[in-house]
Amino acid sequence: LDWTARHAKEVLRNFYRTGFNSWQKGLNEKPRAYVIPSGQADPVRVAAMVDRLIDQRIEVGRLTAPLAVDEGLFPAGSFIVKLDQPYRNYAADLLEPQRFPPDADRLPYDDVSWALPVGFGVQAVRVDDERGARAAAEPVLRAEAPAGRVEGEGACFALRDAGQESLLAARFRLARFRLQVAEARFTAGGVEYPAGSWILPRQQGLREALREVAREFALDFTALPEVPSVGAHDAPAPRLGVWVPWADTDAMGWIRYTLDREQVPYTYLRDEDVRAGRLRDRVDVIVYGPFARLDLAGQTHGIHAASGPLAFKATPGFPSLGKPVASDDITGGPGYVGLEALRRFVDEGGVLLTLGAGSALPLEGGLVPGVRRAATRDVFTPGSELRVTFDRPDHPIAYGYGTESSVFRTNLPVYDRPRRWLAMAYCTSCLDGPLDSRPVVASWGGTGGMVVSGGMRGEADLRGRPAILDLPLGRGRVVAYNFSPIHRDMNRSDYRLLWNAILNWAWHPDGV
């Protein structure tokens, strides 16, 4: 600060030169622009990404006429980022996938993919054609998604699942109404509805509520003359719990931030609440993880009890402590008592969703059998967007996705495919029964190379291993993610993989 104050004119001049040089680069080099086409499946997510660019002082326009370039024909109303602007280099960095060679001597350790279109699941087309720089466009100061529609009269309303991120928030806005989720594709009124589409029987006050939801989330509801003849399951809004261990609160802060922003209600669960048991009386679904610093022992025992008692509560000197929750002693973690309470919660019909490193708790802590950590140590994924393939594309977690997708994976343990449990306890090797493919919802890898953006090592060792597991236990189940579907509000295209598990919590893979 002192140096800047003494060299203010030089700093200002250098800033000007940087912007000038970037503008010149945009005039004379490729690419000329990026086009974000209109008509994409989730206009809310498109608007959110465009606003993220604008927040970074990147200039964004909207086409006032169709644009024909070598890369395609784009309709009027599409967003365009022309690169003859001071933040040209930043715009290109955010809109292009990152490519780190796997044989580099030093691969960066943290979040080597930050491409917004990949993370948001939004199409952004690079335009090298010079006509892109001359496209007729008006500046955009804020992107707004178009309001949705509620149309027709009939026996029910249907919502086509096109992968919209806002379905979880919409479900809680409509919590008092009965909702069914189609388990297969169906056609009505000449429109094809994929699996995962919503069917809402006619109910008092429903149309008015749908109008509000359609306006807020750009969702289109269409009345059908009769309820479709398709397999479907009820999807009641769950009592959602978010377990925030005292030993690592910041990772769970991103989960809370996202749910709070979407106004999704949840119960804040502490280690004390887990130890107290009777979780099924309070919540239907528990979200747990991810963590950057907690191994299995840390997740089980938390802050070492020898450090306690350690209070977290307001005092005259520190009145802001103890919010949103307080405790007389934050040491000890859930302990083995808490693990048994979790097992009982799932056995009684609850759903435990574990994210990233949090999946070590059920997979290695003994809550579910048959899954072991892989012996490989060659896999290194320092925050990259990687391809996954759905082994069970008809599974509710896959609703809104194709047979392949990509997700954001940080450096985490790798697990082998589950094996069926054998009742032979006299030797360890005898417990390795045949592979059980039923719990595997998605596996790492897909068509072509695994890296979509970023970089990794050990692709061959990761390919084919489970990315999402759905493991029945009693009347409930554990869904273990080998990545975090919510990472620093960057990987918005992954949110539905978590939302789907919450929305369809009452569905059971064995029909229980």
Side-chain angles (χ1 to χ4, degrees):
L1 289 175
D2 178 72
W3 190 95
T4 302
R6 288 186 285 108
H7 299 84
K9 290 185 178 180
E10 181 182 354
V11 171
L12 186 60
R13 184 67 180 176
N14 286 343
F15 184 75
Y16 164 77
R17 286 172 175 160
T18 299
F20 181 89
N21 292 338
S22 295
W23 168 54
Q24 289 294 305
K25 193 172 184 179
L27 286 173
N28 301 310
E29 298 182 19
K30 299 176 181 179
R32 305 292 184 176
Y34 290 87
V35 176
I36 303 164
S38 61
Q40 299 196 41
D42 190 349
V44 173
R45 202 155 53 204
V46 171
M49 192 194 82
V50 171
D51 283 341
R52 184 74 55 93
L53 294 171
I54 294 172
D55 287 342
Q56 306 305 310
R57 302 301 186 262
I58 292 168
E59 298 169 12
V60 181
R62 192 189 295 271
L63 294 178
T64 56
L67 173 63
V69 290
D70 292 342
E71 290 78 10
L73 176 63
F74 302 102
S78 299
F79 295 104
I80 183 169
V81 180
K82 298 182 183 181
L83 295 182
D84 54 343
Q85 59 169 294
Y87 284 102
R88 179 264 179 204
N89 293 342
Y90 191 24
D93 202 28
L94 291 178
L95 292 169
E96 283 279 354
Q98 281 66 57
R99 306 292 183 194
F100 287 89
D103 56 352
D105 291 338
R106 290 181 176 86
L107 193 65
Y109 76 98
D110 183 34
D111 289 8
V112 296
S113 171
W114 52 83
L116 294 186
V118 178
F120 275 74
V122 170
Q123 183 188 18
V125 180
R126 171 180 168 141
V127 175
D128 290 341
D129 191 329
E130 292 184 3
R131 289 174 289 182
R134 301 192 300 269
E138 59 185 7
V140 175
L141 301 180
R142 212 69 192 162
E144 292 186 9
R149 302 184 303 274
V150 180
E151 298 179 332
E153 296 284 349
C156 67
F157 284 96
L159 169 67
R160 189 175 185 276
D161 185 354
Q164 303 96 320
E165 179 187 321
S166 58
L167 291 195
L168 182 70
R171 180 65 189 107
F172 278 93
R173 303 293 196 280
L174 300 169
R176 69 183 187 275
F177 298 103
R178 186 188 179 199
L179 163 67
Q180 290 190 306
V181 175
E183 296 177 347
R185 189 182 306 271
F186 68 92
T187 301
V191 177
E192 190 174 82
Y193 292 84
S197 296
W198 288 9
I199 302 169
L200 296 108
R202 186 167 53 193
Q203 302 160 69
Q204 185 174 3
L206 177 60
R207 177 180 285 275
E208 292 74 17
L210 291 182
R211 285 199 184 104
E212 289 298 314
V213 169
R215 177 192 55 78
E216 183 178 2
F217 298 119
L219 298 173
D220 295 333
F221 295 89
T222 303
L224 304 180
E226 57 184 24
V227 177
S229 179
V230 63
H233 58 266
D234 283 315
R239 298 171 300 164
L240 181 62
V242 177
W243 174 18
V244 186
W246 289 113
D248 192 344
T249 59
D250 59 338
M252 291 303 297
W254 286 106
I255 313 297
R256 292 176 49 218
Y257 166 80
T258 303
L259 295 174
D260 288 346
R261 180 184 62 197
E262 301 305 317
Q263 300 178 42
V264 172
Y266 60 89
T267 298
Y268 190 122
L269 298 174
R270 309 167 300 165
D271 293 340
E272 298 95 313
D273 299 315
V274 175
R275 290 197 300 265
R278 301 185 65 86
L279 293 167
R280 194 68 182 86
D281 293 343
R282 301 184 62 185
V283 294
D284 303 306
V285 178
I286 294 176
V287 177
Y288 173 73
F291 306 108
R293 293 179 292 276
L294 295 182
D295 57 9
L296 177 60
Q299 293 178 46
T300 304
H301 302 296
I303 300 171
H304 201 288
S307 303
L310 185 62
F312 183 77
K313 58 198 313 182
T315 65
F318 299 94
S320 63
L321 294 183
K323 298 176 182 178
V325 291
S327 175
D328 292 324
D329 185 9
I330 65 174
T331 67
Y336 296 122
V337 171
L339 293 185
E340 170 57 20
L342 285 173
R343 187 204 63 78
R344 185 178 296 276
F345 163 76
V346 178
D347 187 62
E348 293 174 350
V351 177
L352 175 63
L353 309 176
T354 61
L355 318 180
S359 292
L361 194 69
L363 300 184
E364 301 180 45
L367 287 182
V368 292
V371 182
R372 293 184 177 179
R373 186 184 287 216
T376 178
R377 297 186 179 183
D378 298 328
V379 177
F380 181 55
T381 57
S384 296
E385 192 80 15
L386 307 179
R387 285 189 174 87
V388 293
T389 298
F390 289 101
D391 297 57
R392 298 177 61 183
D394 59 339
H395 193 288
I397 291 177
Y399 290 162
Y401 294 87
T403 55
E404 289 188 9
S405 186
S406 67
V407 300
F408 189 88
R409 187 184 198 271
T410 54
N411 211 34
L412 294 166
V414 180
Y415 293 94
D416 285 323
R417 285 178 168 262
R419 293 183 178 274
R420 294 176 185 170
W421 192 260
L422 297 183
M424 299 180 184
Y426 52 83
C427 68
T428 303
S429 61
C430 295
L431 298 178
D432 288 335
L435 290 174
D436 186 357
S437 61
R438 294 174 302 168
V440 181
V441 178
S443 299
W444 292 110
T447 304
M450 191 180 297
V451 177
V452 175
S453 178
M456 70 173 298
R457 293 197 183 103
E459 177 175 332
D461 288 328
L462 183 60
R463 184 178 292 273
R465 288 196 159 100
I468 305 174
L469 290 167
D470 186 359
L471 300 152
L473 180 64
R475 289 186 291 152
R477 64 192 203 274
V478 175
V479 179
Y481 297 83
N482 194 225
F483 60 95
S484 175
I486 297 180
H487 178 76
R488 302 175 182 172
D489 200 33
M490 289 173 55
N491 54 335
R492 302 281 287 269
S493 62
D494 301 351
Y495 284 10
R496 276 293 303 272
L497 294 170
L498 179 59
W499 293 174
N500 285 342
I502 298 172
L503 286 166
N504 299 281
W505 72 275
W507 175 90
H508 197 282
D510 291 337
V512 177

